[in-house]
Amino acid sequence: MTENAEESIRVMIVDDIAETRENIRKLLQFEADIEVVGAARTGEEAIQMARETRPDVVLMDINMPDMDGITATEALLEDIPWAQVVMLSVQNDADYMRRAMLAGARDFIAKPPSGDELISTIRLVSVRAREQREKLSAPMQQMIVQGPGGATAPLRPEGKLLTVYSAKGGVGCTTLATNLAIGLNTDNTPTVLVDTNLQFGDVSVFLNLQVKYSIVDLAARAEELDDEVIEEVLMTHESGIRVLAAPPRPEMAEEVRAEQVRRVLEELKHRFAYVVVDTGSTMDDVALAALDLSDLLITVATPDIPSIKDARLLFDLLAVLEFPMERLFFVLNKMDRRSGITAEAVSENLKRPVEGEIPADERVVAASINRGVPLLMGDKGRPPAKHILDLIGSIKQRLVTKAEMEAVEDGRPRLFGRG
Ligand SMILES: Nc1ncnc2c1ncn2[C@@H]1O[C@H](COP(=O)(O)OP(=O)(O)OP(=O)(O)O)[C@@H](O)[C@H]1O
Ligand SMILES: [Mg+2]
């Protein structure tokens, strides 16, 4: 019942073709830490078998005659929520992948898989399976040890992860993310800024930093991250924040997998009070990984019709993904009275509150970016900086409220409980 590092990784294979099932089994048979606990021929059988064998990792064929792999994944995860589903497919189709990700799949491997890729992927995602399983069983264990209503065990404080995202490019995500990180960083609340815009990230430019190591270097060691490696790869900005840069060249983005980014972010959450994530505009599996770990998703839009349209599409997508709406924090940037579009109008149109506004100031913002000196390192009393500081105040407030609400929901003692 307690953590057991020696426990082997329980793998289930799902494929309608016997030969494929057998080949995969053979590829895995000599791995001491991997145990194939079952092989199912259909989606239906997979769901049934998963209930009995309780796998950590499911290797799921996408195309099967009765029930496709995506539908099977969705159903299987309802029963075994910690299972990590890796899709196997001959098609490398973006739409398939997106649907698979939406259904809860963790990773994607092209068929036929190589032994190395299969094994390393299984090991990588199994870490998450184990963590989730422990998390799910923790409340139960607590009940057993303490009895219901017993005193709470001290919880290890974990940092807050804030993702800054917009479906539309150029709206000011990087401007906000860099200043947010600087504003949140104190001696007591060390903050790291992560650039997950893997192809065209420009956080290092905004902060005038020379990239020596980047997220590529941590991703490569995602399974064995320790303080030393992390310390070496993170840059230190003169403001005091730590920075994990995007790869120095776009083609290097291919070296980084979403599952690795997830591991990196998880590790950073253990080490920093705040992890601020700047993203690209595509809702790809890297963005989904960041989203999944986010305590707050700060979505940015500008007061113009295309941007508001994209914000609406994003909110719709988040609803489909069942992203908890209380984690959403909606900011309008580049507000300009002359545009005639007010925050109230946007809020009315999108049917959700606007939680922050930053005025447009082309000259000041452009100068800050071009000089590589963030707004919050200049005069903080001036308009855009001042508004960002206010925004940080609201964000902190929101995180505190959220933590209190969660504490109440979890049944942990409240600050002002009845005793
Ligand atoms: N409040 C503001 N007032 C005026 N201009 C702004 C403001 N905020 C950002 N900008 C300008 O908008 C442009 C885009 O900003 P930024 O790079 O932060 O956006 P982004 O959403 O990260 O873009 P990308 O899609 O390239 O990642 C920059 O040229 C910046 O000067
Ligand atoms: Mg950007």
Side-chain angles (χ1 to χ4, degrees), residues 164 171-180 298-304 329-337 339 341-343 354-362 364-365 375-376 382-395:
V164 184
V171 298
C173 288
T174 306
T175 304
L176 185 57
T178 46
N179 284 290
L180 204 58
I298 302 169
T299 55
V300 185
T302 49
D304 52 84
F329 195 96
F330 183 38
V331 176
L332 287 174
N333 186 26
K334 306 193 197 184
M335 290 302 280
D336 185 351
R337 226 174 280 137
S339 80
I341 297 184
T342 61
V354 174
E355 273 110 351
E357 284 182 63
I358 304 169
D361 192 332
E362 194 115 3
V364 172
V365 178
L375 296 164
L376 289 195
R382 284 179 66 163
K386 184 174 159 292
H387 290 78
I388 295 175
L389 276 184
D390 287 349
L391 198 74
I392 292 172
S394 315
I395 287 172

Side-chain angles (χ1 to χ4, degrees), residues 173-175 197 200 202 206 278-279:
C173 288
T174 306
T175 304
N197 187 347
F200 298 106
D202 41 18
F206 275 55
D278 184 25
T279 57

Side-chain angles (χ1 to χ4, degrees), residues 64 74 87 101 149 165 191 221 223 285 296 315 377 417:
M64 289 182 293
E74 224 158 14
M87 288 287 177
M101 287 296 178
Y165 181 82
T191 300
R221 292 191 260 184
E223 274 176 287
D285 47 354
L296 212 57
F315 293 143
M377 294 188 75

Side-chain angles (χ1 to χ4, degrees), residues 41-62:
R41 292 164 300 165
T42 66
E44 293 281 7
E45 200 177 296
I47 297 164
Q48 185 58 40
M49 193 180 279
R51 283 189 198 130
E52 288 153 19
T53 59
R54 305 172 81 69
D56 297 309
V57 180
V58 179
L59 304 172
M60 179 81 79
D61 180 26
I62 267 198

Side-chain angles (χ1 to χ4, degrees), residues 208-276:
N208 203 7
L209 288 168
Q210 284 290 335
V211 179
K212 187 170 164 215
Y213 297 117
S214 75
I215 195 163
V216 172
D217 301 284
L218 285 191
R221 292 191 260 184
E223 274 176 287
E224 40 178 20
L225 292 172
D226 56 33
D227 290 343
E228 206 176 323
V229 177
I230 291 175
E231 190 58 31
E232 194 179 345
V233 171
L234 297 186
M235 295 182 288
T236 305
H237 181 250
E238 56 175 297
S239 63
I241 62 166
R242 306 300 300 273
V243 178
L244 181 56
R249 292 195 312 278
E251 67 272 21
M252 291 169 84
E254 282 175 21
E255 295 169 36
V256 183
R257 300 165 64 109
E259 196 52 43
Q260 297 170 328
V261 173
R262 170 188 287 279
R263 286 293 308 138
V264 169
L265 293 177
E266 281 170 345
E267 286 299 322
L268 293 176
K269 266 182 105 164
H270 290 316
R271 289 171 170 80
F272 289 87
Y274 294 107
V275 182
V276 178

